[in-house]
Structure formats: C-alpha cells, structure tokens
C-alpha cells in the first residue's frame, strides 16, 4: 500500500509538471485519498490560482500533529512557500529532510537565498544516501552552476550524461544551455534553447534564457520577452525589466 501511494504521488506530480491541474489531478483526488495525495492536490489548487485557499489548508494540516510530519506534505509546503518567496517558512517544514526529495528542495531553497555553503551540506547528505540518484546528480549540477568557475564544466557533464541516458527534456536542455552561456558558447546555447522551445513554447525558463542568450548574441529578443510577459507576467525577468522601464521613464520625465 505504501509503494502504491508513493507511485501515485509521483504520477500526479508528473501531471502537475505537465500543467494538467484540473482534469488529471484536482478532479481525480477525492477527500478519501491519503494525506500525501491530498497534499499534491493542494499544490495543483495553488498553481491554478487558488493561492489563499491552498495556503490556508496547508497551514491547517501542518499544525495537525497526526499528519503534520508527513514527508510529502512537508515537501509540498516547501514548494508552495518557495513559490511565495518565503524561504524561511519553507525551510521551517523542509530543513529536517528525511527524503531525497526534501534534501533536493533544500538545495534549491538555499541557492535561492544565495547560501551555497548550506546547499553543499544538503548535497553531501544526498550523496551519502545515494550518490548516483538522478535527484542527487541534478542537485549537484544546480550547486555547480551557482558556484561557477571550473564547476560549470562539471555541471555541463552531468546534464550531458542525462541527455545520453534519458529523452531530452526542457529542464535538461535549459541546464546545458545555461552551462554553455557561462562558458561563453552562446551559439550552442541558442541551439539547445530553440530545441527546448519546440518542446514547450510557453516554458518560462526557456523564454527567459533565450532573452539573455540573444542579448549576448546581439540578436533581437523582444518576441521572446512578449511571450514571457503574456504567459508568465509574474516571472522575475518580467518584473525587473518592467520596473527598470518604469524607472527610466520617470527619469526621462524628470529631465524633460
């Protein structure tokens, strides 16, 4: 029964990753489902726009001593609070770890907080548990990119290994492309990103990386920015660019 529940969590999280929230997740998981599946449903509800309702339910469940320590519930809490950019609240529920998923999420959170030293400690725990696990390798690549320098090449080789073992995904293509940009190989990065765009024309990271890559290549990037602004108005690149444009306009008016 435990293995079946774990399998279902992976399947429903995969549906969420594909953007199929309502039909394949929310409508399929009813109130009698296990806590871990209810938690996954909360993530789907959050991503459809019911943020306040999802966070309220999440906090209520986390305070319940009977289910609050459920590792999947803690994982979903970490993911949701990371989306909210409330990293301290996310770590409150994930820092004790217990599963590779939780440790991998901790790596992400610490990197968001610019604390690669703490991310490295989480990675070491993962490596002691299972050094060859896909999540461990992925977390290793994230940390290598954050550290930079000679580590970029190591990250590139990890993504290259994924590309040889598994079907190419947007995440792997973006990972390789980011490494290429760090190494100054912008033409190769553009080729990889255009391949990723063919797989998902609305993927925010692909669009954001294409904007950056095209700027370095001296190519126009306005089309990709328009797509990103339309499909993901809350993306950090859209927000910072819009803010900078507003500041520039105010400065122009002040001079005029």
């Amino acid at each position: 029964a435990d293995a079946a529940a774990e399998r279902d969590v992976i399947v429903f999280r995969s549906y969420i990753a594909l953007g199929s929230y309502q039909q394949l997740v929310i409508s399929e998981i009813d109130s009698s489902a296990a806590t871990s599946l209810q938690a996954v449903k909360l993530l789907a509800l959050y991503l459809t726009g019911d943020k306040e309702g999802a966070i309220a339910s999440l906090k209520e469940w986390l305070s319940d001593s009977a289910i609050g320590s459920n590792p999947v519930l803690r994982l979903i809490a970490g993911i949701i609070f990371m989306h909210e950019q409330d990293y301290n609240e996310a770590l409150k529920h994930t820092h004790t770890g217990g599963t590779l998923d939780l440790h991998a999420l901790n790596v992400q959170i610490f990197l968001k907080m610019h604390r690669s030293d703490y991310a490295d400690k989480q990675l070491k725990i993962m490596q002691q548990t299972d050094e060859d696990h896909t999540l461990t390798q992925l977390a290793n690549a994230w940390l290598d990119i954050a550290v930079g320098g000679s580590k970029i090449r190591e990250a590139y080789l990890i993504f290259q290994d994924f590309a040889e073992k598994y079907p190419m995904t947007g995440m792997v293509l973006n990972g390789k492309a980011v490494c290429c940009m760090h190494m100054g190989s912008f033409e190769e990065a553009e080729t990889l990103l255009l391949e990723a765009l063919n797989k998902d024309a609305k993927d925010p990271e692909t669009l954001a990386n294409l904007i950056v890559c095209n700027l370095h290549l001296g190519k126009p990037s306005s089309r990709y920015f328009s797509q990103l602004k339309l499909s993901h108005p809350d993306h950090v690149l859209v927000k910072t660019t819009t803010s900078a444009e507003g500041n520039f306009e105010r400065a122009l008016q002040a001079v005029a």
Side-chain angles (χ1 to χ4, degrees):
D2 288 346
E6 185 180 356
R7 174 203 64 198
D8 291 344
V9 165
I10 293 169
V11 169
F12 283 115
R13 283 181 65 199
S14 298
Y15 288 146
I16 289 173
L18 290 168
S20 304
Y21 310 130
Q22 186 67 49
Q23 194 171 4
L24 293 176
V25 181
I26 296 169
S27 60
E28 287 291 318
I29 300 173
D30 58 34
S31 56
S32 65
T35 300
S36 56
L37 291 176
Q38 294 288 348
V40 173
K41 184 177 180 178
L42 271 189
L43 177 59
L45 288 166
Y46 173 86
L47 293 172
T48 56
D50 183 15
K51 294 185 177 183
E52 287 185 14
I55 290 172
S57 296
L58 184 62
K59 288 181 175 178
E60 182 186 337
W61 295 359
L62 288 165
S63 64
D64 185 336
S65 58
I67 61 171
S69 62
N70 181 285
V72 177
L73 179 60
R74 287 164 50 220
L75 178 73
I76 298 303
I79 292 170
I80 287 177
F81 288 122
M82 190 170 76
H83 274 285
E84 291 288 302
Q85 296 182 3
D86 190 346
Y87 303 127
N88 289 329
E89 185 65 26
L91 285 170
K92 190 189 295 183
H93 306 292
T94 64
H95 77 280
T96 53
T99 67
L100 282 174
D101 267 310
L102 281 164
H103 288 299
L105 185 61
N106 284 338
V107 170
Q108 287 186 56
I109 294 169
F110 284 129
L111 290 178
K112 289 275 189 185
M113 296 171 76
H114 306 290
R115 291 307 303 261
S116 57
D117 52 340
Y118 284 111
D120 187 41
K121 289 177 183 176
Q122 292 293 317
L123 177 61
K124 281 183 168 59
I125 295 170
M126 296 177 73
Q127 289 171 333
Q128 288 166 6
T129 306
D130 188 349
E131 190 169 7
D132 295 324
H133 196 284
T134 303
L135 266 181
T136 307
Q137 292 295 312
L138 197 53
N140 198 346
W142 294 331
L143 181 59
D144 284 345
I145 290 172
V147 171
S150 61
K151 291 287 185 181
I152 296 295
R153 183 67 187 169
E154 293 178 29
Y156 179 86
L157 292 174
I158 290 172
F159 286 117
Q160 182 61 35
D161 186 50
F162 284 159
E164 291 169 2
K165 283 183 181 176
Y166 313 115
M168 282 289 238
T169 64
M171 180 189 282
V172 173
L173 288 163
N174 271 275
K176 283 184 73 177
V178 168
C179 292
C180 287
M181 285 194 281
H182 274 284
M183 294 186 291
S185 303
F186 295 103
E187 288 83 2
E188 185 183 348
E190 184 188 28
T191 302
L192 292 163
L193 291 168
L194 289 174
E195 188 180 340
L197 195 69
N198 283 333
K199 292 180 179 294
D200 184 356
K202 292 183 178 179
D203 180 64
E205 300 316 314
T206 303
L207 291 168
N209 284 327
L210 268 169
I211 292 165
V212 174
C213 189
N214 275 19
L215 286 170
H216 281 281
L217 288 169
K219 294 183 177 181
S221 58
S222 55
R223 179 166 66 91
Y224 300 126
F225 185 75
S226 297
Q227 282 179 262
L228 184 64
K229 196 173 183 178
L230 187 66
S231 56
H232 300 277
D234 292 329
H235 193 279
V236 63
L237 191 60
V238 174
K239 284 185 171 180
T240 52
T241 305
T242 305
S243 174
E245 286 172 348
N247 291 339
F248 185 71
E249 285 300 321
R250 282 190 291 276
L252 273 181
Q253 287 167 10
V255 172

